[in-house]
């Protein structure tokens, strides 16, 4: 865009949202232009912060008229570079769309602005004995819009499913500036295509989500967490299988390893959770209206494969045990910019996959250090590689290749973003890709939403 055209465009944006909400100053744009990991960055023409749906619609229409691409951004905690501006785009920040509506206790639903953070929604609904089914460590910054756009998973998928399952209604601004709304909140409604959930996992490529109607879950009054030391991954899987069969209160099952635990302890200054170190750790949480401690203890005590376990059922103790797991992302990032590969493989293939990884990585990048953790119930592993130097693409290729050959997914919960767009073709079949492209073209014929994300440019 030439300078006079750009100035006219910025002036028109300013007219819509007001001068303080069009950010063109490079130093003020900076935090919107680089992702959480520091791996992905771009330069935006401007960052725009609309305060309501009408302003979003006007911004989208204006961008359509000028052919300016739009990158929706919520909390910017995404891990695949999906909210980073592409060349000549504007970042549309949803953080001012942060209204949290009145909780409908009968339907157990709440309407929230797409820019409301998960933590803000949790704070609003928990006093009513309700909760959001999805929870994750980025809760203080991650927004409901971002969580849906990435179909985020997190720590409780085994009990409540991922974000797609929490959404019963939605309002979104389409590429021509029209507002599409389906907010009836009916959990039974078979009148044609499921347009609401189509946006779950769309990564900002189909529309800008502005309001969301969430189906809430009962807030369990009592939580008990156990951190279990084990010999290997296959044993962790087998212990979890028993717990899933016999402990309906089971809410979370997180896997991590000795190297990761030591890194987290060093980074956060935490003491050792148990006297001896173990190769593999399984953190499980049970939650219910009445105290699930006895039920969990009963299952663990009789399992001779458990080398050691610590248990907590008070708020402080539960949080302290979760810190060992939730501290991983931050501790790894403190070592340098990581390559983050969020993958899933079929449960039967998981132990062999984990065993094969160090050899594959050493072959491509002998200097690289690997840390892994994940959500065991979904066989979802976060493979984090640091000290990668110039080998990022080759390493990604090597790891994703074995994932695909194992029958797995190259993105279990973080999305495809820019990081994995080049690999999408290998992950989905030709008819699937054709159907996905048809949807994209139908809803965004001029390709103004998030170019380069999901589909390679
Ligand atoms: C410490 C840490 C822990 C994490 N743990 C997990 C985890 O356990 N599970 C998990 O799944 N993820 C996890 N994440 C990743 C991240 O928090 C999620 O992907 C989250 O859903 C991103 O929300 P956000 O608001 O920050 O979105 P952003 O990062 O701002 O955007 C993410 C994507 O959504 C699009 N988008 C955002 N808002 C909208 C909107 N209103 N309309 C349309 N598109 C939109 C963007 O264009 C982009 O493609 C973690 C991240 C961190 C930093």
């Amino acid at each position: 865009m030439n300078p006079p055209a750009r100035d006219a465009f910025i002036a028109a944006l300013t007219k819509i949202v007001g001068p303080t909400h069009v950010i063109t100053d490079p130093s003020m744009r900076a935090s919107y232009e680089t992702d959480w990991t520091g791996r992905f960055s771009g330069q935006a023409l401007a960052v725009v912060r609309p305060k309501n749906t009408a302003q979003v619609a006007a911004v989208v229409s204006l961008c359509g008229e000028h052919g300016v691409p739009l990158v929706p951004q919520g909390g910017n905690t995404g891990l695949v570079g999906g909210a980073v501006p592409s060349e000549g785009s504007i970042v549309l920040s949803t953080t001012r769309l942060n209204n949290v509506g009145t909780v409908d206790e009968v339907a157990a639903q709440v309407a929230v602005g797409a820019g409301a953070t998960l933590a803000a929604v949790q704070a609003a609904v928990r006093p009513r004995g309700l909760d959001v089914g999805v929870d994750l460590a980025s809760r203080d910054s991650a927004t409901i819009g971002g969580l849906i756009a990435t179909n985020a998973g997190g720590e409780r998928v085994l009990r409540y499913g991922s974000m797609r399952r929490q959404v019963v209604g939605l309002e979104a601004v389409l590429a021509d500036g029209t507002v599409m709304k389906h907010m009836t909140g009916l959990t039974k409604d078979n009148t044609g295509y499921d347009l609401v959930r189509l946006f779950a996992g769309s990564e900002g490529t189909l529309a800008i989500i502005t309001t969301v109607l969430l189906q809430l879950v009962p807030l369990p009054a009592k939580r008990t967490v156990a951190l279990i030391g084990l010999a290997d991954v296959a044993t962790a899987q087998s212990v979890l299988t028993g717990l899933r069969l016999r402990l309906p209160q089971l809410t979370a099952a997180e896997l991590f390893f000795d190297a990761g635990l030591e890194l987290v302890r060093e980074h956060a200054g935490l003491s050792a959770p148990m006297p001896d170190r173990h190769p593999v750790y399984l953190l499980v949480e049970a939650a219910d209206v009445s105290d699930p401690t006895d039920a969990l203890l009963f299952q663990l005590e009789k399992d001779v494969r458990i080398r050691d376990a610590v248990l907590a059922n008070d708020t402080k103790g539960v949080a302290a045990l979760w810190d060992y797991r939730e501290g991983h992302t931050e501790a790894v990032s403190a070592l340098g910019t990581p390559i983050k590969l969020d993958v899933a493989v079929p449960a039967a293939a998981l132990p062999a996959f984990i065993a094969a990884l160090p050899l594959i990585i050493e072959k491509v990048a002998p200097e690289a250090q690997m840390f892994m953790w994940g959500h065991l119930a979904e066989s979802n592993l976060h493979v984090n590689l640091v000290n990668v130097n110039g080998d990022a693409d080759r390493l990604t290729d090597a790891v994703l290749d074995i994932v695909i050959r194992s029958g797995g997914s190259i993105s279990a919960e973080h999305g495809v973003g820019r990081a994995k767009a080049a690999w999408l073709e290998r992950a989905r079949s030709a008819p699937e890709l054709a159907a996905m492209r048809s949807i994209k073209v139908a809803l965004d014929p001029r390709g103004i939403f998030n170019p380069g994300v999901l589909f390679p440019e």
Side-chain angles (χ1 to χ4, degrees), residues 36 71-79 82-83 94 114 135-138 141-155 202-205 207-210 325-326 329-330 375 382 413-414 450 453:
W36 191 89
V71 178
Q73 187 181 98
N76 200 13
T77 66
L79 300 174
T94 61
D135 194 19
L136 33 70
S138 53
S141 305
T143 63
I144 296 299
L147 291 163
I148 293 166
T150 56
N151 189 27
E155 295 152 358
S202 62
E203 300 190 51
T205 62
I208 313 253
I209 300 162
T210 46
R325 159 63 183 91
E326 291 195 337
T329 309
E330 237 183 83
H375 313 289
H382 298 316
E413 59 173 10
H414 293 165
N450 236 351
V453 167

Side-chain angles (χ1 to χ4, degrees), residues 154-155 158 226-240 252-258 260-261 279-285 322 324-326 328 343 345 347 350-351 353-354 371-383:
E155 295 152 358
L158 84 90
L227 180 61
I228 305 166
L230 295 157
D232 52 49
V233 175
T235 310
Q237 285 183 304
S238 170
V239 169
L240 175 59
E254 301 288 305
L255 178 77
F256 49 93
F257 297 83
D258 181 53
L261 175 62
V280 168
Y281 294 90
L282 177 64
L283 182 146
V284 292
E285 178 175 290
W322 267 108
Y324 293 117
R325 159 63 183 91
E326 291 195 337
H328 274 70
V343 300
V345 294
L350 189 69
F353 173 72
I354 290 173
F371 295 92
M372 285 184 291
W373 61 92
H375 313 289
L376 187 60
E378 297 83 43
S379 302
N380 172 194
L381 205 63
H382 298 316
V383 181

Side-chain angles (χ1 to χ4, degrees), residues 169-247:
L170 187 132
E171 177 194 80
V173 175
L174 304 179
D176 61 359
T178 54
V179 178
M180 193 192 80
K181 190 169 174 168
H182 189 79
M183 296 276 285
T184 60
L186 296 170
T187 45
K188 294 184 99 172
D189 181 3
N190 280 351
T191 49
Y193 301 140
D194 188 345
L195 295 175
V196 169
R197 292 189 180 86
L198 173 65
F199 295 102
S202 62
E203 300 190 51
T205 62
L206 297 181
I208 313 253
I209 300 162
T210 46
T211 309
V212 177
L213 189 59
L214 289 173
Q215 184 68 53
L216 303 168
V217 299
L219 175 71
K222 304 283 181 191
R223 294 162 75 199
T224 304
V225 171
L227 180 61
I228 305 166
L230 295 157
D232 52 49
V233 175
T235 310
Q237 285 183 304
S238 170
V239 169
L240 175 59
T241 303
L243 290 175
R244 288 182 90 167
L245 283 175
R246 289 182 278 275
L247 194 69

Side-chain angles (χ1 to χ4, degrees), residues 242-243 246 295-306:
L243 290 175
R246 289 182 278 275
L296 178 58
L297 258 179
F298 180 73
Q299 296 306 327
L300 299 183
E301 270 171 358
K302 61 183 186 186
D303 198 327
V304 293
R305 297 162 303 177
I306 292 175

Side-chain angles (χ1 to χ4, degrees), residues 69 85-89 417-418 421-422 437 447 449-457:
S86 54
E87 184 67 33
S89 65
R418 292 181 195 289
R437 287 209 169 88
F449 287 139
N450 236 351
V453 167
L454 194 55
F455 305 105
E457 267 185 294

